[in-house]
Amino acid sequence: MPKTLRHGSLAAAGLLVLASLTACANDVAGSAAADEAGGKGEKVKIMVGGLDKVIYLPAMLTQRLGYFDDEGLEVELLGEHAGVEAETALVSGKVQGAVGFYDHTLDLQVKGEEVQSVVQFSHAPGEVQIVSDKAATEISSPEDFKGKRLGVTGIGSSTDFLTKYLAVKNGVAVSEFKTVAVGAGESFISALEKGSIDGGMTTDPTVATILAENSGKVLLDMRTPQGSDEALGGAYPSSSLYMQTDWVNDNKETVQKLANAFVKTLKWMAGHSASEIADEMPDDYSKGNGTLYASAIQSTMPMFTQDGVMPEDGPKTVEKVLKAFNPDIKYADVDLSKTYTTEFVDKVVD
């Protein structure tokens, strides 16, 4: 929608849309309250930007371990292919929470939406820049992105953000290459093998499958804090539970219960092997290859925090990355203190 509406009819349409979104949000909140009153427990809907992605594994694992139930919560996990779609579901009022990258909170703030991370799952992106076997001789670093087609989960997604940053950081303008929305999993792999993209940014278990099939090579690995430092210049908080600030302030007891459950999961993960974690997940997540799936989890484990706390200076790194290529954020005065809170994770009892 344009920033300035010149015609009264468009203004009226805008008000109708806003009213619709507000009504949707109220309906969801009302439904949750009704369920609680009926003795079913507090109902919360959370949209995840890829339920089977290892970077968002704590969401499903918390449910599988029964930690939501332990807190008296009835949590419904919904899935989308990309974090940007989870963001849309949150601001439209379809869900109360989103599991996705923290960087969306900055992007939304400059668009007038107050959203904050309440549990930080990770201190590294968990992303890998892959190049296809066919293009491996042409792409040896992000300096070679010029003229290439690079896959991302969705336009406006965190993979899109990071790809553009890596290009700009290495002297390639955003206009000199093309990002292509190809999702993850089979759709990403198919695009890579068919030559629809020359490379792209993705996560496990997609990365593990590509390497096992010898259809691509790793260009940059940001699954560890060290990899994040080398590529981005610092800790990069990514996977998180983020929610609309007003909803958080109005439902602090529920948010505390969510924080209790997620931090308990993060601590459980730190004390168990990748194979033990894989065993707790839905059978279809392994795509029939349990060993490969456990290997994918093992490769991604270093990205996760153990306490859900935002890493020191992490928000500044994210802001630096977004300001490098995003004109909306580059010239905006972002209040980082409003993009996350440690109020709830600080109160979690071991």
Side-chain angles (χ1 to χ4, degrees):
M1 182 178 296
K3 294 181 179 178
T4 303
L5 298 178
R6 299 181 179 179
H7 302 289
S9 59
L10 290 179
L15 290 173
L16 286 173
V17 171
L18 180 59
S20 176
L21 294 181
T22 301
C24 183
N26 290 338
D27 286 346
V28 171
S31 175
D35 284 343
E36 183 178 359
K40 297 180 182 179
E42 298 167 74
K43 187 170 183 179
V44 181
K45 290 184 179 181
I46 298 176
M47 185 66 77
V48 184
L51 272 169
D52 60 351
K53 294 178 183 177
V54 178
I55 58 172
Y56 299 142
L57 179 148
M60 180 58 73
L61 182 58
T62 301
Q63 189 173 76
R64 301 282 289 187
L65 291 173
Y67 293 161
F68 291 136
D69 293 338
D70 291 347
E71 294 291 332
L73 298 173
E74 183 183 344
V75 174
E76 181 179 0
L77 297 176
L78 306 170
E80 287 286 7
H81 295 296
V84 66
E85 295 168 340
E87 169 193 296
T88 301
L90 178 68
V91 297
S92 70
K94 183 177 180 181
V95 296
Q96 289 89 34
V99 169
F101 269 40
Y102 160 72
D103 54 23
H104 290 293
T105 67
L106 280 73
D107 185 50
L108 285 168
Q109 186 182 114
V110 300
K111 295 174 180 175
E113 298 284 349
E114 293 298 325
V115 174
Q116 60 184 189
S117 166
V118 296
V119 183
Q120 195 60 48
F121 297 163
S122 62
H123 47 192
E127 302 282 353
V128 177
Q129 186 70 45
I130 292 282
V131 294
S132 71
D133 270 358
K134 299 173 184 177
T137 58
E138 302 172 10
I139 306 175
S140 59
S141 82
E143 294 178 357
D144 302 319
F145 284 176
K146 186 174 182 179
K148 300 298 187 292
R149 293 171 59 86
L150 302 174
V152 297
T153 52
I155 303 303
S157 67
S158 297
T159 52
D160 187 33
F161 292 163
L162 288 171
T163 300
K164 288 174 178 174
Y165 172 73
L166 291 172
V168 171
K169 179 186 176 185
N170 287 274
V172 181
V174 171
S175 61
E176 294 181 309
F177 69 99
K178 183 176 180 60
T179 54
V180 183
V182 293
E186 290 302 320
S187 58
F188 185 99
I189 295 170
S190 176
L192 193 72
E193 292 177 343
K194 292 178 179 178
S196 302
I197 56 175
D198 301 298
M201 191 170 291
T202 191
T203 61
D204 278 311
T206 307
V207 174
T209 302
I210 290 170
L211 297 181
E213 295 177 352
N214 294 314
S215 55
K217 299 183 181 347
V218 173
L219 183 67
L220 290 171
D221 191 338
M222 295 177 284
R223 290 175 290 188
T224 66
Q226 180 181 354
S228 179
D229 281 342
E230 292 174 356
L232 307 173
Y236 195 92
S238 56
S239 306
S240 67
L241 170 67
Y242 64 87
M243 314 180 87
Q244 289 184 307
T245 303
D246 285 345
W247 198 90
V248 172
N249 291 334
D250 291 340
N251 298 272
K252 289 195 173 187
E253 289 187 12
T254 300
V255 177
Q256 186 62 60
K257 292 176 181 180
L258 288 168
N260 294 344
F262 279 125
V263 172
K264 190 174 181 181
T265 296
L266 292 169
K267 291 182 183 299
W268 186 93
M269 289 170 62
H272 290 77
S273 69
S275 294
E276 289 172 324
I277 295 171
D279 287 343
E280 294 292 338
M281 302 302 287
D283 292 340
D284 61 332
Y285 280 25
S286 68
K287 302 292 192 296
N289 192 331
T291 301
L292 185 65
Y293 183 56
S295 175
I297 294 175
Q298 182 64 43
S299 296
T300 306
M301 280 295 290
M303 73 175 281
F304 293 110
T305 69
Q306 296 183 27
D307 53 14
V309 175
M310 176 66 71
E312 187 177 357
D313 293 332
K316 292 182 180 179
T317 303
V318 173
E319 183 182 29
K320 176 195 71 175
V321 167
L322 297 183
K323 281 183 176 292
F325 68 87
N326 188 325
D328 292 335
I329 294 179
K330 184 174 184 177
Y331 303 108
D333 184 15
V334 180
D335 188 344
L336 294 177
S337 69
K338 293 182 178 180
T339 61
Y340 71 97
T341 179
T342 62
E343 174 185 352
F344 303 99
V345 293
D346 286 343
K347 293 178 182 176
V348 174
V349 179
D350 292 334

